[in-house]
Amino acid sequence: MFYALDILGTIAFAISGVLVAIHKRMDLFGILIIAFVTAVGGGTLRDLLIGNTPVSWMRDITYTYVILVSAVFAIIFRNKINYLRTSLFLFDTIGIGLYTVVGIQKGLNAELHPIICIALGTITASFGGVIRDILCNEIPVIFRKEIYATACILGGVIYFVLSQFPIKNNIVFIIAGLVVIVIRLLAVKFKISLPTIYSKEKV
Amino acid sequence: MFYALDILGTIAFAISGVLVAIHKRMDLFGILIIAFVTAVGGGTLRDLLIGNTPVSWMRDITYTYVILVSAVFAIIFRNKINYLRTSLFLFDTIGIGLYTVVGIQKGLNAELHPIICIALGTITASFGGVIRDILCNEIPVIFRKEIYATACILGGVIYFVLSQFPIKNNIVFIIAGLVVIVIRLLAVKFKISLPTIYSKEKV
Amino acid sequence: MFYALDILGTIAFAISGVLVAIHKRMDLFGILIIAFVTAVGGGTLRDLLIGNTPVSWMRDITYTYVILVSAVFAIIFRNKINYLRTSLFLFDTIGIGLYTVVGIQKGLNAELHPIICIALGTITASFGGVIRDILCNEIPVIFRKEIYATACILGGVIYFVLSQFPIKNNIVFIIAGLVVIVIRLLAVKFKISLPTIYSKEKV
């Protein structure tokens, strides 16, 4: 089940990359690269930081196929994809929830501190989008808008709180992933975002 | 012979980095860093992704010397270097051809899937320029213009097609490298580039 | 003593990250990330390049706590922090001196060439700021202003010159660190910077 959700997340991230790249008027190669980077960027940074090399997508060719097919699909249906925005947003959010949990799991396998595991989960879920925005020459969205990474962090905290109780590990993971998803959905629905910090002197 | 071409490629990439950095009015240190990053960036990313550390240029000091000498040369002759543009472009293209082949070889050594090997070849050949452009705060050129990475990918495909036949491995590598070089030369000569994908709604 | 200075450097870098992020009007999460990246970015790149994974801050949770506390402190006192600029600049400079020495040490442990060790010291000291500037969508400051990395390089050269003589290793490290600090202080005091290289044709 995890693997299926992982693939769904990969599809959503790849499509979101395509949409951003088209908006930036990139050529076909640029679009494919941005799709790829958005989908695997977070997991790649995570794997590099913990020394898990060759990185995941190099060892399992499935990701590459899924991203290529998703990107071609998104390019062909680029003018109709706005009708799909809601389902895309759902996929994307599911992907974030799952990527958070996957990142935490990898951190636990490497016997790292819980806070570091939460950081790895957040990196896995959000840094694909950060790298996408850097390549497109914009300040990464997650630094400016939306409870995005915050949802990942809260999900991670929930995971470590629940794992103190005698609950099955799989169920704890599922709850943590759902927390990420629900927080993000609620934040977008009610337009909650973190406060910007202003400096009197600078403004 | 490979090593000599590798050094030639390093020289050309270092010089191209210097020219871009001067255009951005960087100071001496900035120029040297951009030269260095352009020359070794692709190989460094490749080595990190497959876990081949310390990365290549850290284990062979020759690259560092070659880059420093090339950069000093380019800075001194910066006003005359336009006369050299054709030879520079040739060196650069030879470098791309070779770096593609080197990257594929490293992927094969790590027993990765052919598609991943081609990706590694393309990364080795093109991501030095991508990192250079990011450090200079521009959208990477290869995402917008020219059949650059596409040439690397096609060369990689040729390699794996030919390696199905009973041809000596060295010869297959040379042909693959030449294919990259010829495609790029033809693309620039006839101004072929990949189509930009427009979205009706966004434009 | 090294560890204490390391922590001081971490504090100064974290606070400098907060100030830049506030200036860019990032949200709370963005500010924390920029603080974190500025403080650990250089050491992380160094660890990745030499294959020292999981990277340092993942194995010692102290860095994370220090950065969080420093960042919260800087956010709360953001309007008063200008009075502290001199002490901040001192911390920052001490941090650079120490980070240079730490980087050289790590290179020596990995049995790398002296020039590569100096590069590692410079990377450790300066690339946190580079990544900070890239994430904030600016051309990295060190490529345009101030004898920053140059101080690190000169300190590294002094280290390897002195280590030819029969001087205790610890003392050589301290002298090298002090050289970095003094050069930077003098450079800022007397507004020394590297020349920008202009190209007649481009300008």
Side-chain angles (χ1 to χ4, degrees), chain B residues 38-56:
Chain B
T38 309
V40 307
T44 299
L45 181 56
R46 177 202 63 218
D47 287 346
L48 290 178
L49 291 174
I50 60 179
N52 181 20
T53 52
V55 297
S56 306

Side-chain angles (χ1 to χ4, degrees), chain A residues 27-38:
Chain A
D27 69 17
L28 190 59
F29 176 75
I31 293 170
L32 289 178
I33 288 293
I34 298 293
F36 202 86
V37 160
T38 308

